[in-house]
Amino acid sequence: MTITSDWHIHSLNSCDSASLPVADLPPAAARSGILDYGLTDHIHTPVNLPDLVASRADYLAADPSAHFHFGVEVSCVSQWELDELATGSHGEPVYGLRQGGPVGATPAIGIGPEDIERLGIEFVVGGVHWPLYIEIERDAVIRDYHRQYMYLATHPLVDVIAHPWWWMGHWKDENDRYLADPWFDDFGRIPLSMHDELAAAAIEHGKAIEINISACLLNAAYPDDFGRRYVEEYLGYMSRRGVTFSIGSDCHSREYAVDFPGVGSMLDSIGLRDEQMWRLAPAQQAHR
Ligand SMILES: [Zn+2]
Ligand SMILES: [Zn+2]
């Protein structure tokens, strides 16, 4: 398939290694054959809301066409940390409070409807980025991640479930790779019932499941054949469940240079077509 949309792109306003100037994106997207796309800088908790304000300012300064949309990537965090951070006694941890919360903490996201309205956010990509205070053991991580995916898949503000079964953090080997735990040596470790449950929720609640290029399909830290297996064992399975997919490069680099043709070929193996992909209609109102 020929990929013509991209709904997961970070600019230098993301708090991690991302470094793309927003003004560079429209010409680079055009050169890549991307017709409809959106900016999605990170928001974890209200602590890093200023990043999103800066992202919005850069977006408007780029004089965006109706095909260039403004979105956000929200992290699944805990209500416990949002409450703790609101007390003001923890300083300004950019990634929230990753230690000390209760096992089984209630999931949450760091923005509400007012922020979305005020910042002109057109779509929300929701990602699971860390376990919520559980023991780091593979089956426990799988259960906790599934719990967070289900939270996002039923959240009224979320449109796209980002990079299902992406992993970073614990279990990195001496070569900075993840070759076994938590599911890289055996994707079947994740029960099919979890895929069934997420697919059903996504369909019922109108969410798209992301096909994430950098984090899942072409992640150099994962086993060499992981991308191919992920396409066959996961995306193929979810496709047969009837989910809607969304394409996301998850670009974090200075240049917007993504191997869309190569990924299109990978997706041909499970018969996906670009017409099936989730996409926003061109924006109607003047910006906006
Ligand atoms: Zn993410
Ligand atoms: Zn991202």
Side-chain angles (χ1 to χ4, degrees):
M1 67 180 250
T2 302
I3 294 171
T4 61
S5 64
D6 184 354
W7 304 106
H8 192 152
I9 304 168
H10 294 274
S11 79
L12 47 72
N13 295 300
S14 278
C15 52
D16 49 22
S17 59
S19 50
L20 180 72
V22 176
D24 288 6
L25 180 56
R31 283 195 297 276
S32 302
I34 298 301
L35 307 177
D36 300 289
Y37 54 103
L39 187 64
T40 54
D41 282 310
H42 284 292
I43 175 86
H44 307 305
T45 76
V47 166
N48 80 305
L49 198 57
D51 294 341
L52 208 53
V53 173
S55 180
R56 177 70 183 175
D58 283 1
Y59 169 78
L60 292 176
D63 190 20
S65 80
H67 297 269
F68 178 16
H69 299 265
F70 186 70
V72 62
E73 180 178 10
V74 299
S75 291
C76 190
V77 295
S78 72
Q79 189 59 48
W80 169 80
E81 70 192 290
L82 294 183
D83 294 344
E84 283 290 320
L85 290 168
T87 68
S89 60
H90 294 274
E92 299 194 336
V94 166
Y95 292 100
L97 299 175
R98 304 273 50 88
Q99 304 287 333
V103 174
T106 303
I109 59 175
I111 55 171
E114 317 75 38
D115 304 303
I116 287 176
E117 175 79 26
R118 179 171 55 88
L119 291 167
I121 294 169
E122 297 172 72
F123 69 106
V124 175
V125 174
V128 175
H129 290 136
W130 36 62
L132 294 177
Y133 322 115
I134 57 160
E135 175 195 3
I136 300 300
E137 180 276 319
R138 67 192 321 191
D139 291 324
V141 167
I142 289 169
R143 285 193 300 273
D144 189 64
Y145 269 39
H146 179 62
R147 185 174 75 98
Q148 295 188 56
Y149 294 136
M150 290 302 294
Y151 168 77
L152 294 171
T154 54
H155 196 293
L157 297 180
V158 173
D159 300 294
V160 176
I161 313 301
H163 47 65
W165 307 106
W166 169 78
W167 174 260
M168 189 177 81
H170 200 72
W171 292 306
K172 186 190 271 191
D173 71 13
E174 63 274 16
N175 300 312
D176 291 339
R177 301 191 73 192
Y178 303 92
L179 299 182
D181 291 305
W183 44 73
F184 294 111
D185 56 346
D186 178 12
F187 198 73
R189 187 93 188 177
I190 303 164
L192 291 180
S193 60
M194 291 184 178
H195 303 333
D196 292 340
E197 193 180 17
L198 182 61
I203 291 166
E204 181 178 346
H205 297 273
K207 317 299 188 191
I209 299 291
E210 187 179 75
I211 298 173
N212 188 299
I213 295 174
S214 302
C216 295
L217 267 54
L218 302 181
N219 193 327
Y222 296 169
D224 295 339
D225 67 341
F226 181 76
R228 181 189 59 76
R229 286 192 286 128
Y230 183 88
V231 169
E232 287 176 10
E233 295 179 36
Y234 184 64
L235 298 182
Y237 189 85
M238 296 299 265
S239 176
R240 292 191 293 280
R241 289 284 159 293
V243 305
T244 297
F245 291 110
S246 158
I247 298 279
S249 67
D250 213 349
C251 172
H252 274 81
S253 44
R254 173 64 183 78
E255 307 289 332
Y256 183 74
V258 184
D259 183 11
F260 290 111
V263 171
S265 297
M266 291 173 79
L267 298 179
D268 283 340
S269 70
I270 55 168
L272 294 184
R273 290 174 293 112
D274 193 51
E275 306 83 76
Q276 297 173 282
M277 301 296 124
W278 180 91
R279 64 206 301 147
L280 288 180
Q284 294 301 314
Q285 72 274 39
H287 281 100
R288 276 181 223 152

